Amino acid sequence: MKSVLAVDVDAAHNAVTKSCSPISDQNRDAESSLSLLSTHPVPLCAPSSSPSALEALLTGSKLMGSKLNKIRGGGAISEAHTVNGSGTCKGALVSTHAKGTVLTLSYFALWFALNVYYNIVNKRVLNTLPLPFTVATAQLGIGAVYVSLSWLLRVRASPRISTTGLKDLLSIAFYHGSGQLFTVLSLGAAAVSFTHIVKALEPFFSALVAAVCFKQVFKPQVYLSLLPVVSGVAVACANDVSFGWLAFLTAMASNLAFALRANFSKGALFRYRKEGKSSMSPANVYGLVTILAFFLLLPLTCLWEGVDWRPSWRVATEKIEGTTLVHQLLLSGLFHYLNNEVMYLALDNVHPITLAVGNTAKRVFIILASLLVFRNPITLTGAVGSGVGIAGVLIYSLTKQYYDTH
């Protein structure tokens, strides 16, 4: 046992010594040292009967901690935390992990809150000002102003893209604008809970678009996992007292538009990473898509609802004050944009499976919040169907992720 420990410590010590040599490519040697350490495992705590081995181990740990901190610009584990005979080096790791967990949970909590608040405020605006084209376009415009100001004020790095690149984003912007318009139309025509029950079918449309447009065929088990989603949503819609064909068809159209947006966005982001365009981050791509979608939707809105602006505004301001209505509209646009921003932050910190669970939970919170705020009636059969459909989304996400990684 003692000889095995000595061999392992010697191997670790040689690896650390090599990584600390003054050569130009520090990162490569550090990776080599870590690889050697993984192939020659060293116990975290050496027996007290082997003081020389323990001393060599601690010396190696100190050198390795110093080297990694230098390479990474000062990591979360300092030399003082790394070298501790009592084994308290785990304290820094636990502390860093705890902070990361708190930050991630904060993102999810903010994401849920923004979604719930957006849907409630958006429905109130539509109840007062029944101009879905105008509301959808205004929300995109508010998001466009927000992200443009963040670039102009250098709150974030602005994207650098050519005219050809902007043309490539036009199709994504078209799908994004269409999805936003159809969603607002559905929310205006029915209860918030009904729209989100139908929108639980979005994974079905994503799978369909991937197969038809990108020839990406999944395992049969993945498609079978969609059956609970389709059946649950069908039962819920059939028994929903707020069912209406306009709300149903526009919610289905929004599912198709957002599925197309997601698939084409994924392809664009992959190209930008491959070409090394660091300024074209997911958040910046979403910002550009929002701006383009606003300008695409604006002419159609002017033609369709332009003549109704003055009389509809006059009727709306008889119900509530004009400043209150403007305030609600501004908040709905801002929270619509911010909830997507926070979603990207959450995705950057968790595995896609975790995000899928969060997305499912988000719809549950939105439905429950809308039922509490607007007192929309729901039958027992509709509630069961909704639960089956939403649970089916989670099953689909987990099944797809499993077969994607195996």
Side-chain angles (χ1 to χ4, degrees):
M1 182 69 180
K2 182 177 180 180
S3 60
V4 172
L5 178 61
V7 171
D8 290 342
V9 170
D10 288 341
H13 187 272
N14 290 337
V16 174
T17 305
K18 183 179 178 182
S19 70
C20 295
S21 60
I23 64 173
S24 58
D25 194 355
Q26 296 176 339
N27 289 327
R28 183 191 62 201
D29 274 11
E31 291 174 0
S32 175
S33 301
L34 289 171
S35 176
L36 285 172
L37 283 171
S38 65
T39 56
H40 296 80
V42 182
L44 288 175
C45 297
S48 57
S49 59
S50 305
S52 59
L54 178 60
E55 182 179 356
L57 176 62
L58 295 178
T59 303
S61 299
K62 179 177 180 180
L63 291 171
M64 177 60 75
S66 176
K67 183 66 175 176
L68 291 177
N69 279 334
K70 185 176 181 181
I71 292 170
R72 298 174 181 172
I77 307 173
S78 63
E79 288 185 36
H81 287 103
T82 304
V83 184
N84 191 324
S86 62
T88 57
C89 60
K90 296 180 182 178
L93 285 172
V94 172
S95 177
T96 303
H97 178 71
K99 290 179 180 178
T101 302
V102 170
L103 182 63
T104 302
L105 290 175
S106 299
Y107 286 149
F108 272 86
L110 185 58
W111 181 29
F112 286 13
L114 290 171
N115 264 277
V116 170
Y117 192 83
Y118 163 71
N119 279 275
I120 291 174
V121 174
N122 184 60
K123 182 62 176 176
R124 284 175 173 167
V125 170
L126 289 169
N127 287 341
T128 307
L129 187 68
L131 297 175
F133 279 74
T134 302
V135 172
T137 305
Q139 290 172 353
L140 289 174
I142 292 164
V145 171
Y146 168 81
V147 72
S148 298
L149 287 175
S150 69
W151 290 333
L152 290 173
L153 299 176
R154 297 184 179 180
V155 175
R156 69 174 69 181
S158 58
R160 290 186 289 274
I161 188 170
S162 62
T163 305
T164 305
L166 284 175
K167 290 180 180 178
D168 292 338
L169 291 178
L170 277 174
S171 60
I172 302 174
F174 173 78
Y175 299 135
H176 179 61
S178 301
Q180 167 70 358
L181 175 60
F182 288 133
T183 299
V184 174
L185 280 167
S186 181
L187 288 169
V192 174
S193 56
F194 175 81
T195 298
H196 279 277
I197 290 170
V198 179
K199 283 180 70 63
L201 282 173
E202 190 173 325
F204 172 82
F205 285 89
S206 295
L208 182 65
V209 168
V212 174
C213 298
F214 298 94
K215 309 302 179 185
Q216 185 182 4
V217 180
F218 305 126
K219 296 283 187 180
Q221 294 89 333
V222 176
Y223 294 109
L224 288 174
S225 68
L226 286 169
L227 290 178
V229 182
V230 177
S231 59
V233 170
V235 170
C237 291
N239 291 274
D240 196 300
V241 296
S242 65
F243 177 86
W245 281 108
L246 175 61
F248 176 77
L249 292 176
T250 49
M252 294 287 277
S254 75
N255 283 335
L256 178 59
F258 283 139
L260 287 164
R261 181 196 66 176
N263 280 275
F264 280 94
S265 295
K266 186 175 181 180
L269 290 171
F270 177 78
R271 283 198 311 274
Y272 295 142
R273 282 196 302 269
K274 189 176 180 181
E275 295 169 1
K277 296 181 178 178
S278 58
S279 67
M280 295 300 291
S281 63
N284 276 350
V285 169
Y286 177 73
L288 289 171
V289 166
T290 299
I291 294 172
L292 292 173
F294 167 71
F295 285 109
L296 287 175
L297 203 56
L298 183 59
L300 179 62
T301 299
C302 293
L303 290 173
W304 193 265
E305 291 182 345
V307 295
D308 298 325
W309 286 345
R310 188 182 296 274
S312 296
W313 182 263
R314 185 170 56 251
V315 173
T317 51
E318 290 175 357
K319 300 176 183 178
I320 62 172
E321 293 184 3
T323 54
T324 303
L325 181 57
V326 171
H327 183 253
Q328 289 181 348
L329 186 59
L330 288 173
L331 286 179
S332 69
L334 182 61
F335 284 106
H336 172 263
Y337 189 89
L338 288 178
N339 91 77
N340 287 280
E341 286 269 300
V342 176
M343 181 196 69
Y344 280 115
L345 292 173
L347 180 60
D348 192 45
N349 285 269
V350 299
H351 194 275
I353 291 179
T354 307
L355 192 74
V357 175
N359 199 36
T360 303
K362 178 197 75 175
R363 294 204 187 280
V364 174
F365 276 94
I366 292 173
I367 291 172
L368 291 177
S370 67
L371 292 175
L372 290 173
V373 172
F374 298 108
R375 306 291 182 181
N376 298 315
I378 184 171
T379 63
L380 178 60
T381 307
V384 172
S386 303
V388 172
I390 292 173
V393 175
L394 177 58
I395 294 172
Y396 164 79
S397 301
L398 297 175
T399 305
K400 184 177 180 299
Q401 184 65 37
Y402 174 81
Y403 285 102
D404 281 349
T405 56
H406 287 75

